[in-house]
Coordinates of all heavy atoms in Angstrom, one line a residue:
L471 N -79.2 1.1 -66.7 CA -79.6 -0.2 -66.1 C -78.5 -0.6 -65.1 O -77.4 -0.4 -65.4 CB -79.7 -1.3 -67.2 CG -80.8 -1.0 -68.2 CD1 -80.6 -2.0 -69.4 CD2 -82.2 -1.3 -67.6
P472 N -78.9 -1.0 -63.9 CA -77.9 -1.4 -63.0 C -77.0 -2.5 -63.5 O -77.5 -3.4 -64.2 CB -78.7 -1.9 -61.7 CG -80.1 -1.6 -62.0 CD -80.3 -1.2 -63.4
I473 N -75.7 -2.5 -63.2 CA -74.8 -3.5 -63.8 C -75.0 -4.8 -63.0 O -75.3 -4.8 -61.8 CB -73.4 -3.0 -63.5 CG1 -73.1 -1.7 -64.3 CG2 -72.4 -4.1 -64.0 CD1 -71.8 -1.1 -64.0
K474 N -75.0 -5.9 -63.8 CA -75.2 -7.2 -63.1 C -73.8 -7.7 -62.8 O -72.9 -7.8 -63.7 CB -75.9 -8.2 -64.0 CG -77.4 -7.7 -64.3 CD -78.2 -8.8 -64.9 CE -79.7 -8.4 -64.8 NZ -80.5 -9.0 -65.9
N475 N -73.6 -8.1 -61.6 CA -72.2 -8.6 -61.2 C -72.2 -10.1 -60.8 O -73.2 -10.6 -60.4 CB -71.9 -7.9 -59.8 CG -71.9 -6.4 -60.0 OD1 -71.0 -5.8 -60.6 ND2 -72.9 -5.8 -59.4
C476 N -71.1 -10.7 -61.0 CA -70.9 -12.0 -60.4 C -69.5 -12.2 -60.0 O -68.5 -11.7 -60.6 CB -71.4 -13.1 -61.3 SG -70.5 -13.2 -62.9
V477 N -69.3 -13.0 -58.9 CA -68.0 -13.3 -58.4 C -67.8 -14.8 -58.6 O -68.6 -15.6 -58.1 CB -67.8 -13.0 -56.9 CG1 -66.5 -13.4 -56.4 CG2 -68.1 -11.5 -56.7
V478 N -66.8 -15.2 -59.4 CA -66.7 -16.6 -59.8 C -65.3 -17.1 -59.7 O -64.4 -16.3 -59.6 CB -67.2 -16.9 -61.2 CG1 -68.7 -16.6 -61.4 CG2 -66.4 -16.0 -62.2
D479 N -65.1 -18.4 -59.7 CA -63.7 -18.9 -59.7 C -63.3 -19.2 -61.2 O -64.2 -19.2 -62.1 CB -63.5 -20.0 -58.7 CG -64.3 -21.2 -59.1 OD1 -64.4 -21.6 -60.2 OD2 -65.0 -21.7 -58.1
T480 N -62.1 -19.6 -61.4 CA -61.6 -19.8 -62.7 C -62.3 -20.9 -63.5 O -62.2 -21.0 -64.7 CB -60.1 -20.1 -62.7 OG1 -59.8 -21.1 -61.7 CG2 -59.3 -18.8 -62.3
G481 N -63.0 -21.8 -62.7 CA -63.7 -22.9 -63.4 C -64.8 -22.3 -64.3 O -65.3 -23.0 -65.2
Y482 N -65.2 -21.1 -64.1 CA -66.3 -20.4 -64.8 C -65.8 -19.8 -66.1 O -66.6 -19.3 -66.9 CB -66.9 -19.3 -63.9 CG -68.1 -18.6 -64.4 CD1 -69.3 -19.2 -64.3 CD2 -68.0 -17.3 -65.0 CE1 -70.5 -18.5 -64.8 CE2 -69.1 -16.7 -65.4 CZ -70.3 -17.2 -65.3 OH -71.4 -16.6 -65.8
R483 N -64.5 -19.9 -66.3 CA -63.9 -19.1 -67.5 C -64.6 -19.4 -68.8 O -64.9 -18.5 -69.6 CB -62.4 -19.4 -67.5 CG -61.7 -18.2 -68.1 CD -60.2 -18.4 -68.2 NE -59.6 -17.7 -67.0 CZ -58.5 -18.3 -66.4 NH1 -58.1 -19.4 -66.7 NH2 -58.0 -17.6 -65.4
S484 N -64.8 -20.7 -69.1 CA -65.3 -21.1 -70.4 C -66.7 -20.5 -70.6 O -67.1 -20.1 -71.6 CB -65.2 -22.6 -70.7 OG -66.0 -23.2 -69.7

Side-chain angles (χ1 to χ4, degrees):
L471 294 164
I473 298 168
K474 295 194 171 155
N475 304 286
C476 63
V477 178
V478 294
D479 61 48
T480 48
Y482 184 80
R483 207 177 265 141
S484 61

